[in-house]
Amino acid sequence: MIKGFGIVSGGVQAETAASVAKILGTKVLKTELKEFSNGERYARLEQNVRNLDLFIFNSCTNTKSYTLNDALIETLIIIDAAKRASSSKISVVLPLFPYARQDRKTRTRESITSALVLQLLKQAGADRIVTVDLHSTQSQAAFFGPFENLSAHPLLIKKVKNLIKKHQDDCVIIAPDAGSVKNSSRFAKELEIPLVFIPKSRDKEDSSKIIRPKETENVAGKTCIIIDDMIDTGGTIISAAEMLKNAKAAKIIVCATHSILSADAANKIYNSPIDLILTTDSVPQQSHQKILGDKIQVISIAPLLADAIKSIQTGNCTLDID
């Protein structure tokens, strides 16, 4: 058993924190969490954390009880409470890092919000950040301290291998936009199957509309595996799936670490040509599973996070960390 550490959870990621604690042979420390009538959040650590290395879990996303910003503020409050309670070191575990897409200025007078969030976490008392498949790896530069960017790709690749092992020659990897080419290439290399890139642009009059070529080659009769790091509104993967279906693709599978599925994205995906989504529980997936049923398979990242904590606490690194 690893000694000298404790696991604390915010309200969004309690299930994953409990799974990690079980793997490590411990329990999540008790924390009082509540919301005041005016919307302010409150957190109090109910157990002694003096001189403990704390791992504070949360995920910043919208749920029935939380908005993304509620979860972020709650995380900052828990960090501050731990710091004031004389915790030794504080590692913040955010499998889905908030505001990760706002990583640079593309127009004048914009905020680089990912850097702002990292500065807020540091100011609150975070010594280390642990996340999974950060949308933009250069964001790490804004945090002055250890930053563990874990990869869920080996988990997804293993799952895909099992799905396609009897018909691997009939499969292709699809990169649905320029930003996904790097990750898609990694999947194609590991799975030893071809890569097809489908270019994407946005309508000049309406940026919500995605424009694709009318045709693509080398997908007819194939199982097409679309690779992306994040599914939010679903526009990118649905437009790619529709194009692939028109090109006579036999089956369409989507692999993504983070399935946010904002607004009615789950319903849109259910009614789309997509046959299956392989994703992780970097954000809670229960509500999406109710809508998508057999169209979604969720892989737990608890073993990945547990291994990361072991590596951090013992100094024996067994993980591929960026």
Side-chain angles (χ1 to χ4, degrees):
M1 181 182 293
I2 306 170
K3 296 182 179 180
F5 82 103
I7 292 176
V8 175
S9 179
V12 177
Q13 201 68 311
E15 188 172 318
T16 298
S19 297
V20 171
K22 185 176 181 180
I23 293 170
L24 296 174
T26 187
K27 293 183 178 180
V28 178
L29 299 176
K30 293 181 180 179
T31 306
E32 181 185 1
L33 302 172
K34 64 182 179 182
E35 182 183 19
F36 293 112
S37 58
N38 66 346
E40 292 180 359
R41 291 279 167 176
Y42 173 90
R44 175 182 175 271
L45 303 174
E46 296 185 353
Q47 294 174 252
N48 184 3
V49 297
R50 186 178 297 275
N51 297 324
L52 282 182
D53 291 348
L54 285 190
F55 291 84
I56 298 173
F57 282 67
N58 220 352
S59 226
C60 296
T61 190
N62 295 325
T63 68
K64 287 184 178 180
S65 304
Y66 284 80
T67 66
L68 180 155
N69 293 318
D70 286 336
L72 176 57
I73 288 294
E74 180 181 82
T75 303
L76 293 169
I77 293 170
I78 296 171
I79 296 167
D80 183 67
K83 194 73 174 178
R84 295 176 188 275
S86 299
S87 173
S88 178
K89 291 181 181 178
I90 298 172
S91 297
V92 182
V93 184
L94 294 169
L96 173 63
F97 193 84
Y99 292 95
R101 286 172 285 185
Q102 299 180 36
D103 63 326
R104 62 192 181 278
K105 288 178 69 173
T106 58
R107 301 171 65 190
T108 57
R109 298 179 294 279
E110 283 185 330
S111 169
I112 305 178
T113 320
S114 64
L116 172 62
V117 170
L118 284 166
Q119 290 165 12
L120 289 170
L121 292 166
K122 186 69 175 179
Q123 187 63 36
D127 298 296
R128 181 192 303 269
I129 304 296
V130 180
T131 191
V132 180
D133 289 327
L134 186 64
H135 183 71
S136 179
T137 55
Q138 64 261 32
S139 298
Q140 298 173 76
F143 186 81
F144 295 98
F147 198 121
E148 322 292 356
N149 181 27
L150 311 177
S151 178
H153 291 169
L155 299 175
L156 292 167
I157 288 170
K158 182 180 179 181
K159 187 69 174 179
V160 173
K161 277 184 178 179
N162 289 333
L163 284 175
I164 68 171
K165 59 185 177 182
K166 294 182 179 179
H167 56 97
Q168 188 169 335
D169 293 340
D170 297 323
C171 298
V172 292
I173 294 291
I174 304 294
D177 56 27
S180 67
V181 170
K182 181 180 178 181
N183 288 336
S184 300
S185 298
R186 178 178 179 180
F187 274 72
K189 182 179 180 181
E190 290 284 337
L191 295 167
E192 298 181 329
I193 56 180
L195 172 67
V196 175
F197 169 56
I198 304 177
K200 177 185 81 170
S201 61
R202 294 189 180 271
D203 191 292
K204 292 182 179 180
E205 301 297 327
D206 183 356
S207 62
S208 67
K209 291 183 179 180
I210 295 172
I211 300 172
R212 300 276 189 189
K214 291 183 178 180
E215 297 180 0
T216 189
E217 299 178 348
N218 305 318
V219 300
K222 301 285 188 178
T223 293
C224 296
I225 305 163
I226 302 174
I227 308 299
D228 215 343
D229 66 327
M230 180 186 299
I231 309 171
D232 190 356
T233 63
T236 295
I237 61 164
I238 291 172
S239 65
E242 288 172 345
M243 180 185 176
L244 293 169
K245 198 68 176 178
N246 290 336
K248 310 298 184 188
K251 190 174 183 179
I252 300 168
I253 298 172
V254 177
C255 282
T257 300
H258 310 293
S259 290
I260 303 168
L261 306 189
S262 299
D264 61 344
N267 286 307
K268 288 180 178 178
I269 290 169
Y270 183 81
N271 293 308
S272 77
I274 294 168
D275 295 288
L276 178 65
I277 290 179
L278 298 177
T279 191
T280 76
D281 56 356
S282 63
V283 297
Q285 295 295 332
Q286 291 88 340
S287 62
H288 305 149
Q289 288 174 300
K290 288 180 181 179
I291 296 170
L292 291 168
D294 293 338
K295 268 199 171 189
I296 188 169
Q297 291 184 21
V298 182
I299 302 166
S300 172
I301 56 170
L304 177 67
L305 296 173
D307 278 350
I309 292 175
K310 282 183 185 177
S311 296
I312 291 166
Q313 289 302 104
T314 64
N316 297 322
C317 187
T318 59
L319 297 169
D320 179 16
I321 299 173
D322 290 339

